[in-house]
Amino acid sequence: MTKNSIPTTVDFSKNVKKHEAEKSSENQNKKYLRYIFERNCPGTTKKLQQKTVAIAGLGGLGSNAAVALVRAGVGKLIIADFDKVELSNLNRQHYFQSDLGKKKTEALRDHLININPDIKLEVHNKKLEPPDIIKLFKNADVLIEAFDSADRKKWLIETWSKNFPQKPVISGNGLSGMGHTKDMKVIKAGQIYFCGDGASEMKMGLLSSRVAIVANMQANVCIELLLNGCYTQDT
Amino acid sequence: MILINDRDKIDWFEGMTVRDILNKMEYSYIMITVTINDEVIIDEEYESYIVPDNADVKVIHLCHGG
């Protein structure tokens, strides 16, 4: 048969076999889900599966941090954003061509479930305001601050800190430009953990690698806090 | 003595406020987060919060996200 020719007969038995194979594959998937985390650091998976992390903002920081946390085995995420996926997001955010025009919350939800179908997700498609932080995120063990603008970061950090003084908030702070990997650091100020270079400005532009470094620094600090209750300060 | 950002030291005086520290250090960033001995201090408290001697002060400049 040539590439563009139309078959004159259809072999339905192929479809039946395919369906049976899919059903069998579904069962196999459930059986093998527990093996997703087989290569995790020993003793981490059960602890992480009991934990809840809230993520405010699902851009370059939030989407990449969410993926890292789900891959690590965190049991539940509360994710919030009001935006839709645009072409200009694809240079650094965890979205794809097929997501264009979709709500970020819904696109990311699909990607996270595609990694771990057992992940528990609470999804809020809205522009967050200070009262939302208390209402929507109160059950989270840790908050990942992943907003774009500095003024929104400020009220988010302060609202969280004043209302939940015992719970950590991990902020992405300074990720623009290129290179300067050694400038990336974590600064602890009470319950707040600032990840990034702490200096770069948006006008320098945003590159995938630097954004992903900071997002994964946030996830890394989060995982350590969830497992050990403390962060190992760099020396 | 007050330690700022694990690096700078300034002399403490009775009644010192957060605003006094910011002025002394000549911080010009508009968007900052301040903690005193691990407690977050909001803008409205900069003039009224009295900083104790030997306080551990963090003044963090907030940058854009991504």
Side-chain angles (χ1 to χ4, degrees), chain A residues 60 92 148 153-154 162 173 190, chain B residues 32 38 40 43 61 63 65-66:
Chain A
R92 66 197 187 282
D148 280 346
K153 284 173 181 291
K154 183 174 170 64
K162 288 291 180 189
N173 197 39
Chain B
I32 55 172
D38 290 347
V40 172
D43 295 26
H61 162 51
C63 306

Side-chain angles (χ1 to χ4, degrees), chain A residues 60 92 147-151 153-154 158 161-162 173-174 188-190 192 194 198-202, chain B residues 6 29-35 38-43 45-46 58 60-66:
Chain A
R92 66 197 187 282
F147 280 166
D148 280 346
S149 65
D151 58 333
K153 284 173 181 291
K154 183 174 170 64
E158 292 181 352
S161 302
K162 288 291 180 189
N173 197 39
K188 182 181 185 304
I192 315 165
F194 293 96
S200 59
E201 295 294 342
M202 186 72 101
Chain B
D6 298 320
Y29 290 119
I30 299 167
M31 214 50 72
I32 55 172
T33 292
V34 177
T35 63
D38 290 347
E39 182 190 350
V40 172
I41 311 299
I42 60 173
D43 295 26
E45 298 171 318
Y46 287 177
K58 297 277 191 330
I60 308 292
H61 162 51
L62 296 175
C63 306
H64 278 271

Side-chain angles (χ1 to χ4, degrees), chain A residues 8 25 57 59-60 69 94 109 114 121 152 159 165 168 199 202 207 215 234:
Chain A
T8 51
S25 167
L69 292 171
H94 193 86
R109 179 188 59 199
N114 215 9
L121 292 171
R152 285 175 62 75
T159 303
M202 186 72 101
L207 282 173
D234 297 329

Side-chain angles (χ1 to χ4, degrees), chain A residues 190-206:
Chain A
Q191 70 195 102
I192 315 165
Y193 298 79
F194 293 96
C195 301
D197 61 37
S200 59
E201 295 294 342
M202 186 72 101
K203 63 186 177 192
M204 299 164 79
L206 296 162

